[in-house]
Amino acid sequence: MLHTLTQVSRLAVPLTFLTIISLGIRSKVAVYEAFVTGAKAGLYTTFRLVPNLIAMLVAVQIFRLSGALELVITALRPVTSLFGVPEEVLPLMLVRPLSGSGALGVMAQLFADYGPDSFVGRLASAVMGTTETTFYVLTVYTGAVGIKRIRHTLTVSLLTDLVGFIAAVFITFALFG
């Protein structure tokens, strides 16, 4: 069974690729020209997004390196400790909306320090699964279509992250607490 699944997964991409090309040829579409046109549009979108992404990444680094992250964690400790949330997970909860790679690094460190099957590891996994890299997503999607005013979208997105954090804590305590 495992061997069959391995073979299917190895063939999935080439078969999909061949199917798309075959359907394009059958529909009398200039497949190569359509691909090149799509690639040009993708490059154009990428070049439009790069300034927004650079600005967002610089802001994230400034937040982390300036000590602002640690100040926010210190301010949140009384509230989170009231609900029994391990202090070690707070950096993940704060970095996750800002940076996916930063959050992944924090989670990897939590796994290394506490283990993936520890309560901290399980809570970290739940946080990663219930939240989003809000600022990155807003930067990419609003930048791609040229939306400038995102105040309400940002507010709702951050509230959604808060609900995700609360759900992660509730579910992890319910299942493993």
Side-chain angles (χ1 to χ4, degrees):
M1 178 68 172
L2 183 61
H3 178 69
T4 304
L5 289 176
T6 302
Q7 291 303 322
V8 169
S9 67
R10 284 186 183 152
L11 294 174
V13 172
L15 287 177
T16 302
F17 183 72
L18 288 174
T19 302
I20 291 170
I21 291 174
S22 299
L23 289 172
I25 291 170
R26 194 170 116 206
S27 301
K28 299 189 186 333
V29 171
V31 177
Y32 180 76
E33 289 78 10
F35 175 79
V36 170
T37 301
K40 283 180 187 176
L43 282 174
Y44 175 72
T45 301
T46 300
F47 288 129
R48 279 190 23 217
L49 289 176
V50 166
N52 294 326
L53 290 173
I54 290 172
M56 190 265 313
L57 292 171
V58 168
V60 168
Q61 284 300 95
I62 289 171
F63 180 70
R64 292 178 66 201
L65 297 175
S66 69
L69 176 63
E70 189 58 43
L71 288 174
V72 173
I73 289 170
T74 302
L76 289 176
R77 272 190 192 118
V79 175
T80 55
S81 65
L82 182 66
F83 295 101
V85 177
E87 175 180 316
E88 297 82 5
V89 182
L90 288 179
L92 177 62
M93 290 181 169
L94 293 171
V95 170
R96 177 67 172 153
L98 301 172
S99 166
S101 59
L104 195 57
V106 171
M107 186 176 74
Q109 188 61 50
L110 290 172
F111 284 177
D113 293 346
Y114 301 95
D117 290 329
S118 67
F119 185 80
V120 168
R122 289 176 172 158
L123 180 55
S125 297
V127 166
M128 290 292 281
T130 59
T131 59
E132 184 56 80
T133 53
T134 299
F135 288 95
Y136 175 81
V137 169
L138 285 177
T139 299
V140 170
Y141 292 137
T142 60
V145 294
I147 296 173
K148 301 281 186 231
R149 297 183 340 198
I150 63 165
R151 180 179 54 152
H152 299 299
T153 306
L154 177 61
T155 302
V156 170
S157 297
L158 291 174
L159 283 173
T160 303
D161 279 334
L162 179 61
V163 169
F165 296 140
I166 292 168
V169 170
F170 177 77
I171 291 167
T172 305
F173 271 108
L175 295 176
F176 306 108

